[in-house]
Coordinates of all heavy atoms in Angstrom, one line a residue:
M1 N 18.7 122.6 84.9 CA 17.5 122.7 85.8 C 17.6 124.1 86.4 O 18.6 124.6 86.8 CB 17.6 121.7 86.9 CG 16.4 121.6 87.7 SD 16.4 120.3 88.9 CE 16.5 118.8 87.9
T2 N 16.5 124.8 86.4 CA 16.4 126.2 86.9 C 15.6 126.2 88.2 O 14.5 125.6 88.3 CB 15.7 127.1 85.9 OG1 16.5 127.0 84.7 CG2 15.7 128.5 86.4
A3 N 16.1 126.9 89.2 CA 15.4 127.0 90.5 C 14.3 128.0 90.3 O 14.4 129.0 89.6 CB 16.3 127.5 91.6
L4 N 13.1 127.7 90.9 CA 12.0 128.7 90.9 C 12.1 129.6 92.1 O 12.7 129.2 93.1 CB 10.7 127.9 90.9 CG 10.4 127.0 89.8 CD1 9.1 126.2 90.0 CD2 10.4 127.7 88.4
G5 N 11.7 130.8 91.9 CA 11.7 131.8 93.0 C 10.8 131.4 94.1 O 9.9 130.5 94.0
P6 N 10.9 132.0 95.3 CA 10.0 131.7 96.4 C 8.6 132.0 96.1 O 8.3 132.9 95.4 CB 10.5 132.6 97.6 CG 11.5 133.5 97.0 CD 11.8 133.1 95.6
E7 N 7.7 131.2 96.7 CA 6.3 131.3 96.4 C 5.6 131.3 97.8 O 5.9 130.4 98.6 CB 5.8 130.1 95.6 CG 4.3 129.9 95.6 CD 4.0 128.5 95.0 OE1 4.6 128.1 94.0 OE2 3.1 127.9 95.5
R8 N 4.9 132.3 98.1 CA 4.2 132.4 99.4 C 2.9 131.6 99.3 O 2.0 131.9 98.6 CB 3.8 133.8 99.8 CG 5.1 134.6 100.1 CD 4.8 135.7 101.1 NE 6.0 136.4 101.4 CZ 6.7 136.1 102.5 NH1 6.3 135.2 103.4 NH2 7.8 136.8 102.8
T9 N 2.9 130.4 100.0 CA 1.7 129.6 99.9 C 0.6 130.0 100.8 O -0.6 129.8 100.6 CB 2.1 128.1 100.1 OG1 2.8 128.0 101.4 CG2 2.9 127.6 99.0
T10 N 1.0 130.6 101.9 CA 0.1 131.3 102.9 C 0.7 132.5 103.3 O 1.9 132.8 102.9 CB -0.2 130.4 104.1 OG1 1.0 130.3 104.9 CG2 -0.7 129.0 103.7
A11 N 0.1 133.3 104.2 CA 0.7 134.5 104.7 C 1.9 134.2 105.6 O 2.7 135.0 105.8 CB -0.4 135.3 105.5
Q12 N 2.0 132.9 106.0 CA 3.1 132.6 106.9 C 4.2 131.7 106.3 O 5.3 131.7 106.8 CB 2.5 131.8 108.1 CG 1.5 132.6 108.9 CD 0.7 131.7 109.9 OE1 1.0 130.5 110.0 NE2 -0.2 132.3 110.6
H13 N 3.9 131.0 105.3 CA 4.8 130.0 104.7 C 5.4 130.4 103.4 O 4.7 131.1 102.6 CB 4.1 128.6 104.6 CG 3.6 128.1 105.9 ND1 2.3 127.7 106.0 CD2 4.1 128.0 107.1 CE1 2.1 127.3 107.2 NE2 3.1 127.5 107.9
I14 N 6.6 130.0 103.2 CA 7.3 130.2 101.9 C 7.7 128.9 101.3 O 8.3 128.1 102.0 CB 8.6 131.1 102.1 CG1 8.2 132.5 102.6 CG2 9.3 131.2 100.8 CD1 9.3 133.4 102.9
T15 N 7.3 128.6 100.1 CA 7.7 127.3 99.5 C 8.7 127.6 98.4 O 8.6 128.5 97.6 CB 6.4 126.7 98.8 OG1 5.4 126.5 99.8 CG2 6.7 125.4 98.1
L16 N 9.8 126.8 98.5 CA 10.9 126.8 97.5 C 10.8 125.5 96.7 O 10.7 124.4 97.3 CB 12.2 127.0 98.2 CG 12.4 128.2 99.1 CD1 13.7 128.1 99.8 CD2 12.3 129.5 98.3
R17 N 11.0 125.6 95.4 CA 11.0 124.4 94.6 C 12.2 124.4 93.6 O 12.5 125.4 93.1 CB 9.7 124.3 93.7 CG 8.5 124.1 94.5 CD 7.2 123.8 93.7 NE 6.1 123.5 94.5 CZ 5.2 124.4 94.9 NH1 5.4 125.7 94.6 NH2 4.2 124.1 95.7
Y18 N 12.7 123.2 93.5 CA 13.8 123.0 92.5 C 13.7 121.7 91.9 O 13.9 120.7 92.6 CB 15.2 123.2 93.2 CG 16.4 123.1 92.3 CD1 16.7 124.2 91.5 CD2 17.1 121.9 92.2 CE1 17.8 124.1 90.7 CE2 18.2 121.8 91.3 CZ 18.5 122.9 90.6 OH 19.6 122.8 89.7
G19 N 13.2 121.6 90.7 CA 13.0 120.3 90.1 C 11.9 119.6 90.9 O 10.8 120.1 91.1
D20 N 12.3 118.4 91.3 CA 11.3 117.5 92.1 C 11.4 117.8 93.6 O 10.7 117.1 94.4 CB 11.6 116.0 91.8 CG 11.2 115.7 90.4 OD1 10.3 116.3 89.8 OD2 11.9 114.8 89.8
F21 N 12.2 118.7 94.0 CA 12.3 119.0 95.5 C 11.4 120.2 95.8 O 11.2 121.1 95.1 CB 13.8 119.5 95.8 CG 14.8 118.3 95.8 CD1 15.5 118.1 94.7 CD2 14.9 117.5 96.9 CE1 16.4 117.1 94.6 CE2 15.8 116.5 96.8 CZ 16.6 116.3 95.7
E22 N 10.8 120.1 97.1 CA 10.0 121.2 97.6 C 10.3 121.3 99.1 O 10.4 120.4 99.8 CB 8.5 120.8 97.4 CG 7.6 121.9 98.0 CD 6.2 121.5 97.9 OE1 5.7 120.8 98.9 OE2 5.5 121.8 96.9
L23 N 10.5 122.6 99.5 CA 10.8 122.9 100.8 C 9.9 124.0 101.3 O 9.7 125.0 100.6 CB 12.3 123.5 100.9 CG 12.9 123.8 102.3 CD1 13.2 122.5 103.0 CD2 14.1 124.6 102.1
V24 N 9.2 123.8 102.4 CA 8.3 124.8 103.0 C 8.9 125.3 104.3 O 9.2 124.6 105.2 CB 6.9 124.2 103.3 CG1 6.0 125.2 103.9 CG2 6.3 123.6 102.0
L25 N 9.1 126.7 104.3 CA 9.7 127.4 105.4 C 8.6 128.2 106.1 O 7.7 128.7 105.5 CB 10.8 128.3 104.9 CG 11.9 127.7 104.1 CD1 12.8 128.7 103.6 CD2 12.7 126.7 105.0
D26 N 8.8 128.4 107.4 CA 7.9 129.2 108.2 C 8.7 130.3 108.9 O 9.3 130.1 110.0 CB 7.2 128.3 109.3 CG 6.1 129.0 109.9 OD1 6.0 130.3 109.9 OD2 5.2 128.3 110.5
P27 N 8.7 131.5 108.3 CA 9.5 132.6 108.9 C 9.0 133.0 110.3 O 9.8 133.5 111.1 CB 9.2 133.8 108.0 CG 8.7 133.2 106.7 CD 8.1 131.9 107.1
A28 N 7.8 132.8 110.7 CA 7.2 133.1 112.0 C 7.9 132.3 113.1 O 7.9 132.8 114.2 CB 5.7 132.9 112.0
F29 N 8.5 131.2 112.8 CA 9.1 130.4 113.8 C 10.6 130.2 113.4 O 11.1 129.1 113.3 CB 8.4 129.0 113.9 CG 7.0 129.1 114.5 CD1 5.9 128.8 113.7 CD2 6.8 129.6 115.7 CE1 4.6 128.9 114.2 CE2 5.5 129.7 116.3 CZ 4.4 129.4 115.5
G30 N 11.3 131.3 113.2 CA 12.7 131.2 112.9 C 13.1 130.6 111.6 O 14.2 130.0 111.5
A31 N 12.2 130.6 110.6 CA 12.5 130.0 109.3 C 12.6 128.5 109.4 O 13.4 127.8 108.7 CB 13.7 130.6 108.6
R32 N 11.9 127.9 110.4 CA 12.0 126.4 110.5 C 11.5 125.8 109.2 O 10.7 126.3 108.5 CB 11.2 125.9 111.7 CG 9.7 125.9 111.5 CD 8.9 125.3 112.6 NE 7.5 125.4 112.4 CZ 6.6 125.2 113.3 NH1 7.0 124.9 114.6 NH2 5.3 125.4 113.1
I33 N 11.9 124.6 109.0 CA 11.5 123.8 107.9 C 10.3 123.0 108.2 O 10.4 122.1 109.0 CB 12.7 122.9 107.4 CG1 13.9 123.7 107.0 CG2 12.2 122.0 106.2 CD1 15.1 123.0 106.7
N34 N 9.1 123.4 107.7 CA 7.9 122.7 108.0 C 7.8 121.4 107.2 O 7.2 120.4 107.7 CB 6.7 123.5 107.6 CG 6.4 124.5 108.8 OD1 7.1 124.6 109.7 ND2 5.3 125.2 108.6
S35 N 8.4 121.3 106.0 CA 8.4 120.1 105.2 C 9.5 120.2 104.2 O 9.8 121.2 103.7 CB 7.1 119.8 104.6 OG 6.7 120.7 103.6
A36 N 10.0 119.0 103.8 CA 11.0 118.9 102.7 C 10.6 117.6 102.0 O 10.5 116.5 102.6 CB 12.4 118.8 103.2
R37 N 10.3 117.8 100.7 CA 9.8 116.6 99.9 C 10.5 116.5 98.6 O 11.0 117.4 98.0 CB 8.3 116.8 99.6 CG 7.4 116.8 100.8 CD 5.9 116.9 100.5 NE 5.1 116.8 101.7 CZ 4.6 117.8 102.3 NH1 4.8 119.0 101.8 NH2 3.9 117.6 103.4
Y38 N 10.6 115.2 98.2 CA 11.2 114.9 96.9 C 10.2 114.0 96.2 O 9.8 113.0 96.7 CB 12.6 114.2 97.1 CG 13.2 113.7 95.8 CD1 13.7 114.7 94.9 CD2 13.2 112.4 95.4 CE1 14.2 114.3 93.7 CE2 13.7 112.0 94.2 CZ 14.3 113.0 93.3 OH 14.8 112.6 92.1
K39 N 9.8 114.5 95.0 CA 8.7 113.8 94.3 C 7.5 113.5 95.1 O 6.9 112.4 95.0 CB 9.3 112.5 93.6 CG 10.3 112.8 92.6 CD 10.7 111.5 91.9 CE 11.7 111.8 90.8 NZ 12.1 110.6 90.0
G40 N 7.1 114.5 96.0 CA 5.9 114.3 96.8 C 6.1 113.5 98.1 O 5.2 113.3 98.9
R41 N 7.3 112.9 98.3 CA 7.5 112.0 99.4 C 8.4 112.8 100.4 O 9.3 113.5 100.1 CB 8.3 110.8 99.0 CG 7.4 109.9 98.2 CD 8.1 108.6 97.9 NE 8.2 107.9 99.2 CZ 8.6 106.6 99.3 NH1 8.9 106.0 98.2 NH2 8.7 106.1 100.5
D42 N 8.0 112.7 101.7 CA 8.7 113.4 102.8 C 10.2 112.9 102.9 O 10.4 111.7 102.9 CB 8.0 113.2 104.1 CG 6.7 114.0 104.2 OD1 6.7 115.2 103.7 OD2 5.7 113.4 104.7
V43 N 11.1 113.9 102.9 CA 12.5 113.6 103.1 C 12.8 113.8 104.6 O 13.6 113.1 105.2 CB 13.4 114.5 102.3 CG1 14.8 114.3 102.6 CG2 13.1 114.3 100.8
L44 N 12.2 114.8 105.2 CA 12.2 115.1 106.7 C 10.8 114.9 107.2 O 9.8 115.1 106.5 CB 12.7 116.5 106.9 CG 14.1 116.9 106.4 CD1 14.4 118.4 106.7 CD2 15.2 116.1 107.1
R45 N 10.8 114.6 108.5 CA 9.5 114.5 109.2 C 8.8 115.9 109.1 O 9.4 116.9 109.6 CB 9.7 114.1 110.6 CG 8.4 114.0 111.4 CD 8.6 113.6 112.9 NE 9.6 114.4 113.6 CZ 9.3 115.5 114.2 NH1 8.1 116.0 114.2 NH2 10.3 116.2 114.8
P46 N 7.6 115.9 108.6 CA 6.9 117.2 108.5 C 6.4 117.7 109.8 O 6.1 116.9 110.7 CB 5.8 117.0 107.5 CG 5.5 115.5 107.6 CD 6.8 114.9 108.0
V47 N 6.2 119.0 110.0 CA 5.6 119.6 111.1 C 4.1 119.3 111.0 O 3.5 119.5 110.0 CB 5.8 121.1 111.2 CG1 4.9 121.8 112.2 CG2 7.3 121.4 111.4
L48 N 3.5 118.7 112.0 CA 2.1 118.2 111.9 C 1.1 119.4 112.3 O 0.1 119.5 111.7 CB 1.9 117.1 112.9 CG 2.7 115.8 112.6 CD1 2.4 114.7 113.6 CD2 2.4 115.3 111.2
D49 N 1.5 120.3 113.2 CA 0.7 121.4 113.5 C 1.5 122.7 113.3 O 2.3 123.1 114.1 CB 0.3 121.3 115.0 CG -0.6 122.5 115.5 OD1 -0.9 123.4 114.6 OD2 -1.0 122.5 116.6
A50 N 1.2 123.4 112.2 CA 2.0 124.5 111.8 C 1.9 125.7 112.8 O 2.7 126.6 112.8 CB 1.6 125.0 110.4
A51 N 0.9 125.7 113.6 CA 0.7 126.7 114.6 C 1.4 126.5 115.9 O 1.5 127.3 116.8 CB -0.8 126.9 114.9
D52 N 2.0 125.3 116.1 CA 2.7 124.9 117.3 C 4.1 125.5 117.3 O 4.9 125.2 116.4 CB 2.8 123.4 117.4 CG 3.3 122.9 118.7 OD1 3.9 123.7 119.5 OD2 3.2 121.7 119.0
P53 N 4.4 126.4 118.3 CA 5.7 127.0 118.3 C 6.9 126.2 118.8 O 8.0 126.6 118.7 CB 5.5 128.2 119.2 CG 4.4 127.8 120.1 CD 3.5 126.9 119.3
D54 N 6.6 125.0 119.3 CA 7.6 124.1 119.9 C 8.6 123.8 118.8 O 8.3 123.1 117.8 CB 6.9 122.8 120.4 CG 7.9 121.9 121.1 OD1 9.1 122.2 121.1 OD2 7.5 120.8 121.5
P55 N 9.9 124.2 119.0 CA 10.9 123.9 118.0 C 11.2 122.4 117.8 O 11.6 122.0 116.7 CB 12.2 124.6 118.5 CG 11.9 124.8 120.0 CD 10.4 124.9 120.1
L56 N 10.8 121.6 118.8 CA 11.0 120.1 118.6 C 10.0 119.5 117.7 O 10.1 118.3 117.4 CB 11.0 119.5 120.0 CG 12.1 119.9 121.0 CD1 11.9 119.2 122.3 CD2 13.4 119.7 120.4
Q57 N 9.0 120.3 117.2 CA 8.0 119.8 116.3 C 8.6 119.7 114.9 O 8.2 119.0 114.0 CB 6.8 120.6 116.2 CG 6.0 120.5 117.5 CD 5.6 119.1 117.8 OE1 5.1 118.4 117.0 NE2 5.8 118.7 119.1
A58 N 9.7 120.5 114.7 CA 10.4 120.6 113.4 C 11.5 119.5 113.3 O 12.2 119.3 114.3 CB 10.9 122.0 113.1
A59 N 11.6 118.9 112.1 CA 12.7 117.9 111.9 C 14.0 118.6 111.7 O 15.1 118.1 112.0 CB 12.4 117.0 110.7
S60 N 13.9 119.9 111.3 CA 15.2 120.6 111.0 C 14.9 122.1 111.0 O 13.8 122.5 110.7 CB 15.7 120.2 109.7 OG 16.9 120.9 109.4
F61 N 15.8 122.9 111.4 CA 15.7 124.4 111.3 C 17.1 124.9 111.1 O 18.1 124.4 111.5 CB 15.0 125.0 112.5 CG 15.5 124.4 113.8 CD1 16.5 125.0 114.5 CD2 14.8 123.3 114.4 CE1 16.9 124.4 115.7 CE2 15.3 122.7 115.6 CZ 16.3 123.3 116.3
P62 N 17.2 126.0 110.3 CA 18.5 126.5 109.8 C 19.4 127.2 110.8 O 20.5 127.5 110.5 CB 18.1 127.4 108.6 CG 16.7 127.8 108.9 CD 16.1 126.7 109.7
L63 N 18.9 127.5 112.0 CA 19.8 128.2 113.0 C 20.3 129.5 112.5 O 21.5 129.8 112.5 CB 20.9 127.3 113.5 CG 20.5 126.0 114.2 CD1 21.7 125.2 114.4 CD2 19.8 126.3 115.5
V64 N 19.5 130.4 111.9 CA 19.9 131.6 111.4 C 19.4 132.8 112.3 O 18.3 132.7 112.8 CB 19.4 131.9 110.0 CG1 20.4 132.3 109.0 CG2 18.6 130.8 109.4
P65 N 20.1 133.8 112.5 CA 21.4 134.1 111.9 C 22.6 133.5 112.6 O 23.8 133.7 112.2 CB 21.5 135.6 112.0 CG 20.8 136.0 113.2 CD 19.7 134.9 113.3
F66 N 22.4 132.8 113.7 CA 23.6 132.2 114.5 C 23.5 130.7 114.5 O 22.4 130.1 114.7 CB 23.6 132.8 115.9 CG 23.4 134.3 115.9 CD1 22.2 134.9 116.4 CD2 24.5 135.1 115.5 CE1 22.1 136.2 116.4 CE2 24.4 136.5 115.6 CZ 23.2 137.1 116.0
S67 N 24.6 130.0 114.4 CA 24.6 128.6 114.3 C 24.7 128.0 115.7 O 24.7 126.8 115.9 CB 25.7 128.1 113.4 OG 27.0 128.5 114.0
N68 N 24.9 128.8 116.7 CA 25.1 128.3 118.1 C 24.8 129.5 119.0 O 24.4 130.6 118.6 CB 26.4 127.7 118.3 CG 26.4 126.6 119.4 OD1 25.5 126.6 120.3 ND2 27.3 125.7 119.4
R69 N 25.1 129.3 120.3 CA 24.9 130.4 121.3 C 25.9 131.5 121.0 O 27.0 131.2 120.6 CB 25.1 129.9 122.7 CG 24.0 128.9 123.0 CD 24.2 128.4 124.4 NE 23.1 127.5 124.7 CZ 22.9 126.9 125.9 NH1 23.8 127.1 126.9 NH2 21.9 126.1 126.1
V70 N 25.5 132.7 121.3 CA 26.5 133.8 121.3 C 26.9 134.1 122.7 O 26.0 134.5 123.5 CB 25.8 135.1 120.6 CG1 26.7 136.3 120.6 CG2 25.3 134.7 119.2
R71 N 28.2 133.9 123.0 CA 28.6 134.1 124.4 C 28.3 135.4 125.0 O 28.6 136.5 124.4 CB 30.2 133.8 124.4 CG 30.7 134.1 125.8 CD 32.2 133.8 125.9 NE 32.3 132.6 126.7 CZ 33.2 131.7 126.6 NH1 34.1 131.8 125.6 NH2 33.2 130.7 127.4
D72 N 27.6 135.4 126.1 CA 27.2 136.6 126.8 C 26.3 137.5 126.0 O 26.1 138.7 126.4 CB 28.5 137.4 127.3 CG 29.3 136.5 128.3 OD1 28.7 135.8 129.1 OD2 30.6 136.6 128.2
G73 N 25.8 137.1 124.9 CA 24.9 137.9 124.1 C 25.5 139.1 123.5 O 24.9 140.1 123.2
V74 N 26.8 139.0 123.3 CA 27.6 140.1 122.7 C 28.5 139.6 121.6 O 29.1 138.6 121.7 CB 28.5 140.8 123.8 CG1 29.3 142.0 123.2 CG2 27.6 141.4 124.9
F75 N 28.5 140.4 120.5 CA 29.5 140.1 119.5 C 30.0 141.4 118.8 O 29.3 142.4 118.9 CB 29.0 139.1 118.4 CG 27.9 139.6 117.5 CD1 28.2 140.1 116.3 CD2 26.6 139.6 118.0 CE1 27.2 140.6 115.5 CE2 25.5 140.1 117.2 CZ 25.8 140.6 115.9
I76 N 31.1 141.3 118.1 CA 31.7 142.5 117.4 C 31.7 142.2 116.0 O 32.1 141.1 115.5 CB 33.1 142.8 117.9 CG1 33.1 143.1 119.4 CG2 33.7 143.9 117.1 CD1 34.4 143.3 120.1
Y77 N 31.1 143.1 115.2 CA 31.1 143.0 113.7 C 31.5 144.3 113.1 O 30.9 145.3 113.5 CB 29.7 142.5 113.2 CG 29.6 142.5 111.7 CD1 30.2 141.4 111.0 CD2 29.0 143.5 111.0 CE1 30.2 141.4 109.7 CE2 29.0 143.4 109.6 CZ 29.5 142.4 109.0 OH 29.5 142.3 107.6
D78 N 32.4 144.3 112.3 CA 32.9 145.5 111.6 C 33.3 146.6 112.5 O 33.0 147.7 112.3 CB 31.8 145.9 110.6 CG 32.4 146.9 109.5 OD1 33.6 146.8 109.2 OD2 31.6 147.6 108.9
G79 N 33.9 146.1 113.7 CA 34.4 147.1 114.6 C 33.4 147.6 115.6 O 33.7 148.4 116.5
K80 N 32.1 147.2 115.5 CA 31.0 147.7 116.3 C 30.5 146.6 117.2 O 30.3 145.4 116.8 CB 29.9 148.2 115.4 CG 28.8 148.8 116.2 CD 27.7 149.4 115.3 CE 26.5 149.9 116.2 NZ 25.4 150.4 115.3
T81 N 30.3 146.9 118.5 CA 29.8 145.9 119.5 C 28.3 145.8 119.4 O 27.7 146.9 119.4 CB 30.3 146.3 120.9 OG1 31.7 146.3 120.9 CG2 29.8 145.2 121.9
H82 N 27.8 144.6 119.3 CA 26.3 144.4 119.3 C 25.9 143.6 120.5 O 26.5 142.5 120.7 CB 25.9 143.7 118.0 CG 26.3 144.4 116.7 ND1 25.5 145.3 116.1 CD2 27.4 144.4 116.0 CE1 26.0 145.8 115.1 NE2 27.3 145.3 115.0
H83 N 24.9 144.1 121.2 CA 24.4 143.4 122.4 C 23.0 142.8 122.0 O 22.2 143.5 121.5 CB 24.2 144.3 123.5 CG 25.5 144.9 124.0 ND1 26.2 144.3 125.0 CD2 26.1 146.0 123.7 CE1 27.3 145.0 125.2 NE2 27.3 146.1 124.4
L84 N 22.9 141.5 122.2 CA 21.6 140.8 121.9 C 20.8 140.6 123.2 O 21.4 140.4 124.3 CB 21.9 139.4 121.3 CG 22.8 139.4 120.1 CD1 23.2 138.0 119.7 CD2 22.1 140.1 118.9
P85 N 19.5 140.7 123.0 CA 18.6 140.4 124.2 C 18.8 138.9 124.6 O 18.7 138.1 123.7 CB 17.2 140.7 123.7 CG 17.3 140.7 122.3 CD 18.7 141.0 121.9
Q86 N 19.0 138.7 125.9 CA 19.2 137.3 126.3 C 17.8 136.7 126.7 O 17.0 137.4 127.2 CB 20.1 137.2 127.5 CG 21.5 137.7 127.1 CD 22.5 137.5 128.2 OE1 22.3 136.8 129.2 NE2 23.6 138.2 128.1
N87 N 17.6 135.4 126.4 CA 16.4 134.8 126.7 C 16.6 133.5 127.5 O 17.7 133.1 127.7 CB 15.6 134.5 125.4 CG 16.3 133.6 124.4 OD1 17.4 133.0 124.8 ND2 15.8 133.5 123.2

């Protein structure tokens, strides 16, 4: 089975397909997963309003580039200190 490359279904969404699986991502909202389907059936609860920025509307989101909070908004990578804007 060969994975197909990303397909932009709209200016905002990216659809990934692999066999009978389909995943729709929304980069505008932190690459949240708008839908995940297998053979056309939802595997995760789909986002009902794609314009709604509320993260709780998504059943799943990948937490990239960080999987949790970054203590004090500072981290060191490759010997260099990086300060993140705190929200």
Side-chain angles (χ1 to χ4, degrees):
M1 189 178 296
T2 303
L4 300 177
E7 165 190 322
R8 292 204 176 267
T9 52
T10 70
Q12 300 167 2
H13 303 130
I14 296 172
T15 300
L16 302 174
R17 290 189 179 91
Y18 183 79
D20 291 329
F21 289 96
E22 178 185 88
L23 186 73
V24 179
L25 302 173
D26 191 340
F29 295 114
R32 77 176 174 194
I33 298 171
N34 278 6
S35 66
R37 294 185 177 99
Y38 177 71
K39 293 187 176 183
R41 295 187 63 173
D42 290 317
V43 176
L44 298 174
R45 177 181 53 86
V47 170
L48 299 177
D49 180 359
D52 189 346
D54 181 1
L56 299 178
Q57 294 303 311
S60 181
F61 42 91
L63 299 172
V64 232
F66 310 107
S67 63
N68 208 337
R69 294 181 180 180
V70 177
R71 175 177 249 147
D72 300 321
V74 177
F75 68 96
I76 298 172
Y77 177 76
D78 200 23
K80 183 177 177 186
T81 302
H82 299 270
H83 295 272
L84 302 172
Q86 295 184 20
N87 58 13

